[in-house]
Amino acid sequence: MAEEVSSQMNSLSISETNPSSSATISLVSGDDIVFKVEPTIAKEMETVQSFIDETDGKITTIPLPNISSHDLPYVIEYCEKSIAGKITKEFEAEFVKKLNNEEVKELFLAANYLNIKKLLDFLSQVIADRIANKSVEYVRRYFGIENDFTPEEEAKLREELAWTFTGVDPDDEDEN
Amino acid sequence: MSDTSLTPNVTGNINLKKVKMFDHISQLPDCILSYILTKLSMKDLLKTSILSKRWCNLWALRRDLYFDIFNVFENNEEELLQKRNSKKFIEQFSQDCLKLTSLDYNGHDLANLNFNTPMLNNFHLAVSYSQHLIAFRLFATLPKLEILQLDIYSTVSTSLKITQRLEHLKQLNLILMRPFDFLQKLEFGLSGILTILQASPLLQKLSVMKDARDLEAFSHDEVKVIELRGCVGNWYEIEFAMNVMKYANKLERIVLTPYWRDDIDESLDWNFNPAWFQNGRQRIAEKLQNEEVVGREKLVLI
């Protein structure tokens, strides 16, 4: 993956980009790395495509300040497979295997930001799988939720929902 | 979906309104979280209500629910019904599920269920015959309901009595059955099925499993497909078919077959008595194809 990324890297130079000379779209990550992609890939990313549409295709360099150069290749890879119609169970299983919890969350946020429905749906399932049967505390940490119940309130809720707590898995070490 | 907007200025350079990206999933708006909620099991879904005050009712944003009381309680229903937990559980389902489009409900206490699900489009419900009036009252409160699968269990010979209109219903799969341990033979009155047609002006497909009788004349202008399964050529089935072909003006196809659908109950093995099914089919063919039957070309025998 690292080699692939570096081959796609260019120094950031918006002023030098001549939109009419190139059909490719340049996506610029938050840490100023340029990824050149085919227009069909950009189409998968609603946020990017609507920007291209708004400028009548004149501007083909799109800054994505919220997405890091670490996450963007994953997004592009998924979009490429999606266009090729090659999103199989096997591909998704392999794709997920590469990602730790933190990366899954980052990609989910990226998919939301770029508005890629299929990726969002897929990552929702991945997240659901990763919090399945986990304790409330684990899920709070995972989602970054602050518990604002009083101990009494929480105890009452836990009692009411006692049956949902059967068979909870022990918390793993929170991997990052 | 995102607050970030990119706007080109006159010189063609890009002005970027930098908006901080959400650091945490918990900061995402409700509508995005509903994607994740939709993928959780029932247990994990309800557990999210303990996470924090904001999450307390967030689970109701789920877009579908598969709620089978036997499934959820892992066959410990008897035990759980005695505790107030399950009452509470039912109450928890009686609330605003504003994004819910698909619901699968097989449980008790239908009268206590108080859904506010304005988006519900696809509903699969299993009820006992004594509850069917409550069920139809519930359906009438669902403004977007288009696809309904209704399983009605009965221990007495019955007919459906429906008064409410199902304004938007396009597809109805109706299964009339007696409990598996109930051996006495039952008949379901056909007039009830006709009532459904009368109450559903937009119905395009009706699939009924089980026999029926008692006919009344009427006409229906939308229904295109009717399937009658579990049909073995009894006189009232034949009469039903003849009447539907006569009175349903837009009917394109009426399917008659002794076979049930495989996806409903795999335990029904057609091979155990092929002659019986074959004879049933034969009887239907003889009675409907050899007579002067109006709309005979629409008939499909499986």
Side-chain angles (χ1 to χ4, degrees):
Chain A
M1 178 59 75
E3 285 82 2
E4 275 176 54
V5 173
S6 60
S7 69
Q8 290 171 322
M9 282 184 188
N10 272 315
S11 62
L12 173 62
S13 50
I14 292 175
S15 53
E16 287 169 25
T17 309
N18 182 350
S20 57
S21 71
S22 123
T24 60
I25 308 288
S26 298
L27 303 176
V28 186
S29 69
D31 44 347
D32 289 345
I33 308 293
V34 177
F35 293 82
K36 289 200 181 294
V37 298
E38 294 299 316
T40 49
I41 301 279
K43 264 212 171 67
E44 294 285 295
M45 308 172 179
E46 269 187 44
T47 307
V48 171
Q49 187 58 37
S50 66
F51 175 67
I52 293 169
D53 292 344
E54 271 169 35
T55 62
D56 290 331
K58 285 192 190 92
I59 289 175
T60 55
T61 299
I62 322 284
L64 301 171
N66 295 339
I67 301 175
S68 74
S69 59
H70 177 81
D71 296 335
L72 198 48
Y74 287 116
V75 177
I76 293 170
E77 184 190 356
Y78 192 89
C79 289
E80 280 170 351
K81 287 282 176 188
S82 173
I83 295 166
K86 287 184 181 161
I87 305 259
T88 59
K89 288 231 151 50
E90 292 74 26
F91 166 73
E92 290 190 329
E94 282 301 309
F95 190 81
V96 166
K97 235 189 253 172
K98 291 184 279 190
L99 305 173
N100 64 32
N101 279 343
E102 208 49 45
E103 287 167 330
V104 169
K105 286 190 277 185
E106 279 171 19
L107 282 181
F108 183 78
L109 296 169
N112 172 47
Y113 173 69
L114 294 170
N115 204 359
I116 308 170
K117 290 268 156 40
K118 275 182 224 160
L119 185 57
L120 201 59
D121 193 62
F122 166 57
L123 291 169
S124 300
Q125 184 63 58
V126 175
I127 291 172
D129 292 344
R130 293 199 181 186
I131 62 170
N133 269 330
K134 297 294 186 192
S135 70
V136 171
E137 291 77 11
Y138 182 92
V139 179
R140 275 191 194 126
R141 279 199 300 279
Y142 192 88
F143 284 156
I145 296 170
E146 202 177 317
N147 178 16
D148 53 1
F149 287 120
T150 64
E152 293 76 29
E153 285 170 335
E154 184 170 344
K156 188 165 172 284
L157 281 170
R158 279 181 187 262
E159 196 199 319
E160 282 166 1
L161 284 165
W163 66 274
T164 65
F165 291 100
T166 52
V168 171
D169 296 342
D171 294 359
D172 315 338
E173 289 295 306
D174 286 6
E175 31 165 329
N176 271 312
Chain B
M1 186 159 293
S2 162
D3 297 325
T4 309
S5 65
L6 304 166
T7 44
N9 65 14
V10 278
T11 61
N13 288 329
I14 290 164
N15 275 340
L16 193 65
K17 275 190 238 156
K18 271 216 174 187
V19 172
K20 194 175 158 288
M21 171 125 140
F22 304 104
D23 296 326
H24 265 302
I25 285 178
S26 61
Q27 293 166 350
L28 288 168
D30 292 356
C31 63
I32 303 302
L33 294 175
S34 85
Y35 280 96
I36 299 175
L37 292 167
T38 301
K39 306 288 184 183
L40 292 172
S41 74
M42 199 60 67
K43 260 185 181 181
D44 287 320
L45 179 69
L46 287 178
K47 255 192 297 190
T48 62
S49 64
I50 311 180
L51 293 171
S52 74
K53 283 178 183 161
R54 178 191 169 203
W55 283 76
C56 206
N57 290 316
L58 219 52
W59 66 268
L61 292 177
R62 191 181 163 105
R63 286 149 209 263
D64 64 353
L65 278 176
Y66 179 74
F67 174 41
D68 180 337
I69 203 158
F70 298 100
N71 176 31
V72 170
F73 290 134
E74 290 158 0
N75 287 325
N76 279 328
E77 192 208 355
E78 286 295 312
E79 186 189 327
L80 275 144
L81 277 179
Q82 289 159 12
K83 299 178 184 169
R84 81 195 168 86
N85 283 354
S86 94
K87 179 113 182 67
K88 179 74 192 170
F89 181 73
I90 299 290
E91 278 164 20
Q92 274 157 350
F93 275 89
S94 301
Q95 66 161 325
D96 294 345
C97 295
L98 299 178
K99 292 208 177 259
L100 197 68
T101 59
S102 168
L103 173 66
D104 202 316
Y105 184 86
N106 178 4
H108 300 276
D109 270 345
L110 195 61
N112 293 334
L113 264 190
N114 210 351
F115 283 112
N116 179 15
T117 54
M119 302 302 285
L120 195 65
N121 172 265
N122 190 335
F123 196 0
H124 180 179
L125 178 67
V127 289
S128 65
Y129 174 71
S130 61
Q131 290 193 303
H132 86 275
L133 286 178
I134 302 172
F136 275 94
R137 228 172 285 142
L138 177 67
F139 302 150
T141 67
L142 302 170
K144 298 256 171 144
L145 187 65
E146 290 186 352
I147 302 170
L148 177 63
Q149 172 155 346
L150 184 60
D151 306 349
I152 298 181
Y153 294 83
S154 180
T155 52
V156 287
S157 294
T158 52
S159 178
L160 301 177
K161 303 171 195 72
I162 299 147
T163 49
Q164 275 85 3
R165 276 167 76 83
L166 303 166
E167 293 289 350
H168 300 279
L169 201 64
K170 289 191 176 152
Q171 193 179 326
L172 174 65
N173 296 333
L174 185 65
I175 301 184
L176 303 166
M177 57 177 92
R178 55 181 191 228
F180 292 117
D181 51 357
F182 194 83
L183 298 174
Q184 192 188 324
K185 209 166 180 232
L186 296 175
E187 276 176 4
F188 287 94
L190 178 62
S191 59
I193 296 165
L194 296 182
T195 329
I196 292 175
L197 281 183
Q198 283 167 315
S200 319
L202 296 182
L203 196 69
Q204 291 176 357
K205 178 167 179 184
L206 171 66
S207 172
V208 179
M209 302 202 206
K210 208 51 204 173
D211 55 25
R213 61 191 305 172
D214 301 334
L215 299 166
E216 284 167 36
F218 74 104
S219 77
H220 192 278
D221 293 326
E222 285 296 330
V223 68
K224 295 193 180 90
V225 182
I226 291 181
E227 292 177 353
L228 192 61
R229 292 178 182 263
C231 178
V232 289
N234 294 330
W235 66 269
Y236 47 84
E237 292 164 345
I238 301 300
E239 210 153 296
F240 171 68
M242 288 171 64
N243 274 275
V244 168
M245 288 190 281
K246 208 156 149 193
Y247 295 122
N249 298 325
K250 288 267 182 73
L251 193 72
E252 288 165 8
R253 202 166 77 237
I254 174 163
V255 181
L256 298 182
T257 174
Y259 303 109
W260 282 42
R261 280 187 3 219
D262 291 343
D263 56 329
I264 300 298
D265 190 344
E266 288 170 0
S267 66
L268 293 173
D269 182 1
W270 315 125
N271 297 322
F272 83 100
N273 192 350
W276 189 79
F277 287 105
Q278 203 50 46
N279 290 342
R281 209 175 157 276
Q282 201 72 42
R283 267 199 301 279
I284 302 169
E286 279 166 17
K287 288 180 185 164
L288 283 175
Q289 287 179 337
N290 296 339
E291 290 172 33
E292 283 298 310
V293 178
V294 181
R296 211 172 86 184
E297 68 283 356
K298 298 165 185 167
L299 187 69
V300 180
L301 292 182
I302 299 176

